Amino acid sequence: MPVKDPGSQELVVKVLASGICHSDLHAMNGVIPYASIPITPGHEGAGIVEAVGANIQDLKVGDHVILRFVMSCGACAPCVQGTDNLCRKLKFLGFEVDGTFAEYVSVPSRHAIHLPDSIPFEQGAIIGCAVVTPIHAMNIARVRPGSSVAIFGLGGVGIHAVQTGKIFGAAEIFAVDISDSKLSLAKLFGANYAINGSKEDTVAEIKRLTDGVGVDFAFEFIGLPTTQLQAISSVKRGGTVTLVGIPNQSLNIDLKYLLTNEIQLRTSFDHTRAEVDDVIRLVESGRLDLSKSISHRFPLSKVNEGIDVLRKNIGDPIRVVVTP
Ligand SMILES: [Zn+2]
Ligand SMILES: [Zn+2]
């Protein structure tokens, strides 16, 4: 791909790290409606500013940046109201605009967020998707200090939800997955209980551990009807279920059960710009430790091997990162 000179409002960024995400697999499998072809994928990137357009004031050559894949316009009502993930002119880097599985990316400067030099590029890369997504989900759910939280699915996003739950003040975190090694990792990240859904009756176990009541909040990070329904069944009366994993099938819900138990069902999509700034501060201050978050690294020339690691779940990947 040729490297373009930046337009007056654009930056050229040399990509130094780019995370591989389940969303990339979903796009390859044709289940993301807005993904266009041909495209350079990659939406979790960080790098160094290589060139700036004539009108760029806030960033300069040599600055470290996170490339934000939620390319909001900044001017429509949802953007002005701080819900720019719902921008009316939204475009997605790596799905509709050429992304970060590349040596260089040129983007309008408003989609680059300054990354403090103290945060490694590979951590910066995953902040922009895997780490900020659970922050948004817990903001949507309004997790309260002292509450109990169940996390269904410990992939790259779900595993960070365990740490996020701690930051939101959850008193008890229940981690659910079918991989024992991911469950051990979740305990290392602060989960109080680890439940293997392939060996145990997940809902019964959560109910048993909560004196038959259920948890205050449940989050589903997979997108499968089985775990979505388990999440709904595992919350207490008046509890909140937030669906985050992108579903590719419809769900049959017993609305009477939801209504008569006043269960709040919410959905969470991506994140807002302000939440990326929040995550940067959390990592910079040491409140959020991402040093164990990257399990595999591949050079850009072997990006397909990295994608296979995620697709085939080779070696229980947390986050796979592509480097130059
Ligand atoms: Zn992603
Ligand atoms: Zn907008």
Side-chain angles (χ1 to χ4, degrees), residues 144 207 213-216 234-240 261-263:
R144 294 180 304 277
K207 286 278 169 77
V213 173
V215 288
D216 299 314
S234 69
V235 294
K236 67 175 188 184
R237 299 190 80 196
T240 300
N261 289 288
E262 216 169 68
I263 289 169

Side-chain angles (χ1 to χ4, degrees), residues 25-294:
L25 300 183
H26 290 324
M28 291 169 73
N29 293 337
V31 295
I32 292 189
Y34 49 81
S36 59
I37 296 172
I39 193 85
T40 302
H43 62 274
E44 301 186 13
I48 198 157
V49 176
E50 185 88 1
V52 298
N55 293 343
I56 307 298
Q57 313 258 312
D58 52 339
L59 289 165
K60 59 183 188 306
V61 171
D63 280 349
H64 298 189
V65 290
I66 293 174
L67 292 157
R68 187 157 179 252
F69 74 91
V70 178
M71 301 176 95
S72 51
C73 77
C76 71
C79 279
V80 171
Q81 290 159 2
T83 51
D84 63 301
N85 58 320
L86 307 177
C87 171
R88 290 177 187 153
K89 294 179 184 167
L90 198 57
K91 290 253 182 240
F92 290 104
L93 186 72
F95 299 99
E96 297 165 279
V97 176
D98 281 329
T100 57
F101 295 159
E103 294 164 289
Y104 295 92
V105 179
S106 57
V107 289
S109 70
R110 56 172 276 100
H111 306 310
I113 297 180
H114 188 256
L115 177 70
D117 290 2
S118 61
I119 302 177
F121 289 107
E122 59 182 23
Q123 293 184 20
I126 66 165
I127 285 174
C129 180
V131 187
V132 73
T133 301
I135 294 272
H136 183 66
M138 290 195 183
N139 279 331
I140 287 278
R142 299 190 182 158
V143 172
R144 294 180 304 277
S147 53
S148 52
V149 172
I151 311 286
F152 288 80
L154 302 172
V157 178
I159 195 77
H160 290 105
V162 174
Q163 287 168 292
T164 304
K166 289 278 165 199
I167 287 167
F168 274 72
E172 287 189 311
I173 296 185
F174 300 73
V176 182
D177 203 281
I178 53 172
S179 151
D180 281 330
S181 62
K182 286 185 178 172
L183 289 163
S184 317
L185 190 70
K187 287 205 111 172
L188 195 68
F189 279 5
N192 304 81
Y193 304 101
I195 300 168
N196 188 322
S198 69
K199 297 176 186 165
E200 293 169 274
D201 179 336
T202 303
V203 175
E205 189 61 6
I206 290 176
K207 286 278 169 77
R208 185 183 72 79
L209 293 165
T210 54
D211 297 327
V213 173
V215 288
D216 299 314
F217 296 92
F219 294 87
E220 203 274 354
F221 288 98
I222 308 161
L224 289 176
T226 307
T227 39
Q228 289 162 339
L229 292 173
Q230 285 174 349
I232 290 169
S233 300
S234 69
V235 294
K236 67 175 188 184
R237 299 190 80 196
T240 300
V241 180
T242 305
L243 305 181
V244 194
I246 297 175
N248 58 9
Q249 12 185 341
S250 52
L251 181 65
N252 241 329
I253 306 176
D254 181 353
L255 281 177
K256 195 174 185 180
Y257 175 79
L258 282 191
L259 190 147
T260 55
N261 289 288
E262 216 169 68
I263 289 169
Q264 307 300 309
L265 184 60
R266 298 184 188 179
T267 58
S268 173
F269 186 54
D270 292 325
H271 63 269
T272 68
R273 186 182 177 101
E275 288 163 341
V276 178
D277 291 330
D278 292 343
V279 175
I280 289 171
R281 281 192 293 270
L282 285 166
V283 176
E284 199 178 15
S285 67
R287 289 283 314 281
L288 187 54
D289 175 13
L290 302 183
S291 63
K292 297 181 192 72
S293 296
I294 290 128

